[in-house]
């Protein structure tokens, strides 16, 4: 998803595309991987001194709810990234820098066979470790 698609989706859902909301979209479009609310707040404070945690969290959860951002949890912290659901895939997530690598492997084919009589409504599959750059550091 790009910024134009995200703004269009916001407007379709009845939300305004304010300056702060656009700045959040720019931040996530430029980010390579998942980022925390704290990372976003530090970025926004450069332009919006004293921005509230409530404003940031409210927008992060709104973006997740409408499908602009996707989330994961790492070390007990919720992380966000621009939704990249062009096709079905999963991610490798670096524990050190947060960068992600798309992977197309999905264990659901085997799971469907093992749970043939069950109605599966969704799944999440992520692999965690250290990226090549962080292994060298």
């Amino acid at each position: 998803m790009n910024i134009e698609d995200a703004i269009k989706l916001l407007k379709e859902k009845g939300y305004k595309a304010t300056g702060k909301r656009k700045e959040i979209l720019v931040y996530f479009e430029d980010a390579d991987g998942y980022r925390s609310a704290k990372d976003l707040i530090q970025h926004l404070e450069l332009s919006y001194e004293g921005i509230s945690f409530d404003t940031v969290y409210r927008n992060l959860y709104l973006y997740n709810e409408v499908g602009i951002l996707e989330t994961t949890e790492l070390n007990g912290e919720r992380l966000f990234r621009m939704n990249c659901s062009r096709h079905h895939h999963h991610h490798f997530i670096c524990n050190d820098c947060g960068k992600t690598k798309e992977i197309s492997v999905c264990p659901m084919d085997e799971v469907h066979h093992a749970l043939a009589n069950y109605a599966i409504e969704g799944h999440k599959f992520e692999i965690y470790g250290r990226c090549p750059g962080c292994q060298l550091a």
Side-chain angles (χ1 to χ4, degrees):
M1 178 168 297
N2 61 36
I3 291 175
E4 293 79 25
D5 293 337
I7 290 171
K8 181 180 175 188
L9 184 57
L10 270 179
K11 289 180 179 180
E12 286 172 2
K13 300 286 184 177
Y15 297 99
K16 294 180 182 177
T18 65
K20 287 178 189 169
R21 286 184 174 162
K22 289 177 184 176
E23 181 77 21
I24 292 170
L25 294 172
V26 169
Y27 174 77
F28 280 104
E29 186 175 59
D30 293 343
D32 182 16
Y34 286 94
R35 297 292 176 252
S36 69
K38 182 180 177 183
D39 295 332
L40 176 60
I41 289 168
Q42 289 174 343
H43 171 77
L44 291 175
E45 283 179 336
L46 300 173
S47 301
Y48 303 98
E49 187 176 330
I51 189 164
S52 75
F53 287 102
D54 287 345
T55 298
V56 171
Y57 281 101
R58 194 170 39 254
N59 280 291
L60 287 173
Y61 285 95
L62 168 66
Y63 285 172
N64 178 245
E65 184 181 308
V66 300
I68 294 169
L69 296 180
E70 55 187 50
T71 67
T72 193
E73 194 167 310
L74 183 61
N75 300 321
E77 182 176 23
R78 195 158 200 192
L79 303 175
F80 302 84
R81 70 171 273 142
M82 193 70 90
N83 191 337
C84 57
S85 61
R86 294 176 300 275
H87 59 280
H88 184 80
H89 67 277
H90 299 283
H91 294 115
F92 169 89
I93 303 169
C94 181
N95 285 323
D96 290 346
C97 69
K99 287 184 180 178
T100 61
K101 178 170 176 45
E102 198 173 291
I103 55 175
S104 59
V105 175
C106 181
M108 289 308 293
D109 290 335
E110 288 185 39
V111 171
H112 282 295
H113 293 298
L115 299 172
N117 296 326
Y118 292 80
I120 298 170
E121 296 177 353
H123 73 281
K124 187 171 196 170
F125 177 67
E126 297 171 332
I127 299 173
Y128 302 94
R130 295 178 71 210
C131 70
C134 289
Q135 291 178 52
L136 297 175

